[in-house]
Amino acid sequence: MIYLDHAATTPTASEVRAAMEPYYQRRYGNASTPYEFGQHSREAVENARKIIADTLGVQTSEIYFTSGGTESDNWALKATMEAYAFRGRHMITTQIEHHAIGNTCEYLRKRGFEVTELSVDRDGRISLEQLERAIRQDTVLISIMCANNEIGTLQDMEAIGEIARRRGVIFHTDAVQAYGQIPIDVNGWNVQMLSASSHKFYGPKGCGFLYMKQGLRTESMIHGGSQESGRRAGTENVPGIVGMAKAAQLAFAHMDETMERETWMRDRMIHHICSEIPGAFLVGSQTHRLPGNLNICFPGIQASNLVLLLDEAGICVSAGSACNTSEAEPSHVLKAVGLSDAQAYACIRMTLGRDTTVQELQETLRTLKRLVKILKKR
């Protein structure tokens, strides 16, 4: 199998599995219990919190463990808008956010909040001038993803954060695709909340975190016990938390070399596809882009058919994000960057990983050329 869908999920690293194993068997104690056996788990959780905090250069008290990026996004938006409703009922986001943001915004609209969605250019980047104009007296929150999950576009986070700081608006970013992949500077970007998900950077599924800057008024979204400083109830997923911290350690330790390698392979693959397959073109920015992301349009074909044929050839790619592959409508992200319906239905996403080889990409290129030619004849 050639796996080129690392934006959907990554394999759990062997070092991560080894770090987690004791907390399934020998050290299975509940981290909220007072006796020594449970306190081993508590120490593991707090050590993991420090590791995550250190990767961002923030305080340990500002890291809250969740079940993943979707929960973190929901918490950031719902709890913030509800807690600051006395100040205003307006927030700003973009037209290309993940469904975890988009559908949460729909939830907020139904409860009387106003949401402005910024348009993007052909590369998938927002206009800073449009953002500035969209901020109102009653704007509470800006939520803009750092890196898009479909086309890999990176936003100008420093400039967005500076606008939010100057205008006194809380700034949240969905960094699910960015954390562990590229350097993140929450302080330099003036980010006050950040969402991340473990399984995107070789950690276990079902675990993530929300960074919340100290002093924010956000309320709990899950009520019950006093876990996570009383702000997120529920027995701690100790193995998952330990595994996520180990995965973060590995990701940040090898980030520079991984970025350089994936960027080189990505650019080489883009060049060969677009020069050797007639009509093929890259979607999104080539310069402001995640190192391992390629989204390619093959006009005149149905991407869903290409994905199935590639699967039969043992190659895993996607025709969009993993969260909306069953939808009949064209991708909202591809439409927002100006593609027609026909073009949007003709795009596939390939995302590289640490173990992706040049040989695998060469085989994928050969297979793509053959299959696209077959599909265009149908």
Side-chain angles (χ1 to χ4, degrees):
M1 181 182 74
I2 297 176
Y3 184 73
L4 297 177
D5 202 17
H6 292 82
T9 196
T10 55
T12 306
S14 57
E15 300 95 327
V16 171
R17 297 196 304 271
M20 295 169 65
E21 192 278 331
Y23 299 93
Y24 284 116
Q25 294 290 332
R26 292 178 286 110
R27 295 191 171 182
Y28 55 83
N30 188 316
S32 296
T33 53
Y35 42 79
E36 185 178 0
F37 186 54
Q39 287 305 298
H40 287 309
S41 294
R42 168 55 52 198
E43 290 170 11
V45 168
E46 296 311 316
N47 181 57
R49 199 185 309 277
K50 184 179 188 309
I51 289 169
I52 297 291
D54 287 348
T55 66
L56 295 174
V58 301
Q59 300 177 50
T60 56
S61 60
E62 296 175 318
I63 300 297
Y64 296 88
F65 294 125
T66 67
S67 64
T70 294
E71 182 190 331
S72 296
D73 284 344
N74 272 257
W75 189 2
L77 269 58
K78 293 177 184 176
T80 301
M81 294 307 294
E82 289 171 0
Y84 286 87
F86 69 94
R87 200 171 86 183
R89 301 181 69 82
H90 177 244
M91 67 164 285
I92 298 169
T93 187
T94 79
Q95 293 179 352
I96 63 167
E97 298 296 309
H98 188 276
H99 285 315
I101 296 293
N103 288 343
T104 303
C105 287
E106 282 304 307
Y107 168 92
L108 290 170
R109 283 190 179 101
K110 292 174 182 177
R111 279 147 186 81
F113 294 95
E114 292 185 69
V115 181
T116 296
E117 292 185 354
L118 303 176
S119 60
V120 294
D121 62 19
R122 190 80 181 186
D123 284 347
R125 304 190 95 200
I126 67 159
S127 158
L128 297 175
E129 291 77 16
Q130 185 187 15
L131 171 62
E132 190 88 61
R133 291 194 302 270
I135 297 174
R136 311 184 326 201
Q137 193 71 30
D138 62 340
T139 303
V140 169
L141 176 68
I142 295 170
S143 180
I144 296 177
M145 68 194 325
C146 175
N148 185 264
N149 53 302
E150 291 192 42
I151 60 174
T153 295
L154 302 173
Q155 300 293 340
D156 187 344
M157 299 298 288
E158 187 173 356
I160 295 168
E162 174 55 26
I163 291 172
R165 184 200 62 78
R166 180 163 41 81
R167 300 292 295 272
V169 180
I170 299 166
F171 181 26
H172 164 259
T173 186
D174 175 339
V176 168
Q177 292 292 335
Y179 181 85
Q181 312 296 332
I182 60 173
I184 288 176
D185 183 4
V186 295
N187 297 307
W189 296 351
N190 293 295
V191 167
Q192 289 156 288
M193 290 188 290
L194 177 146
S195 305
S197 190
S198 167
H199 74 106
K200 304 296 188 179
F201 53 94
Y202 300 86
K205 296 176 179 65
C207 193
F209 70 85
L210 177 63
Y211 157 69
M212 285 194 286
K213 190 174 180 65
Q214 197 161 354
L216 288 180
R217 297 170 56 106
T218 52
E219 304 293 336
S220 301
M221 196 174 73
I222 298 177
H223 301 93
S226 59
Q227 292 89 353
E228 295 304 292
S229 302
R231 300 181 83 174
R232 198 268 186 183
T235 301
E236 295 91 340
N237 175 9
V238 180
I241 290 168
V242 169
M244 176 168 63
K246 185 63 178 178
Q249 272 186 326
L250 293 169
F252 281 82
H254 303 289
M255 184 175 289
D256 289 346
E257 60 195 80
T258 301
M259 286 178 61
E260 182 178 0
R261 180 173 174 274
E262 290 183 1
T263 300
W264 179 80
M265 288 196 295
R266 177 202 71 191
D267 290 345
R268 178 172 170 165
M269 190 66 166
I270 291 170
H271 169 75
H272 283 293
I273 291 174
C274 295
S275 62
E276 297 176 29
I277 300 178
F281 64 88
L282 178 71
V283 181
S285 170
Q286 184 160 351
T287 53
H288 304 291
R289 191 182 199 96
L290 284 172
N293 178 290
L294 304 83
N295 193 301
I296 307 289
C297 183
F298 300 95
I301 70 161
Q302 285 287 321
S304 56
N305 293 334
L306 180 56
V307 170
L308 290 174
L309 290 175
L310 286 167
D311 184 33
E312 290 178 4
I315 301 171
C316 300
V317 304
S318 76
S321 73
C323 302
N324 68 341
T325 51
S326 62
E327 293 186 2
E329 294 298 313
S331 160
H332 68 287
V333 174
L334 300 181
K335 292 288 290 179
V337 298
L339 270 62
S340 66
D341 284 5
Q343 289 174 325
Y345 283 126
C347 295
I348 67 167
R349 181 188 69 181
M350 292 174 279
T351 41
L352 317 182
R354 294 175 192 166
D355 299 326
T356 304
T357 66
V358 171
Q359 292 73 25
E360 287 178 329
L361 294 182
Q362 289 172 338
E363 175 61 25
T364 300
L365 177 63
R366 286 192 292 269
T367 306
L368 274 172
K369 291 164 71 173
R370 176 174 60 84
L371 294 178
V372 170
K373 188 178 294 185
I374 291 170
L375 288 171
K376 282 190 174 182
K377 288 179 179 178
R378 289 183 176 177

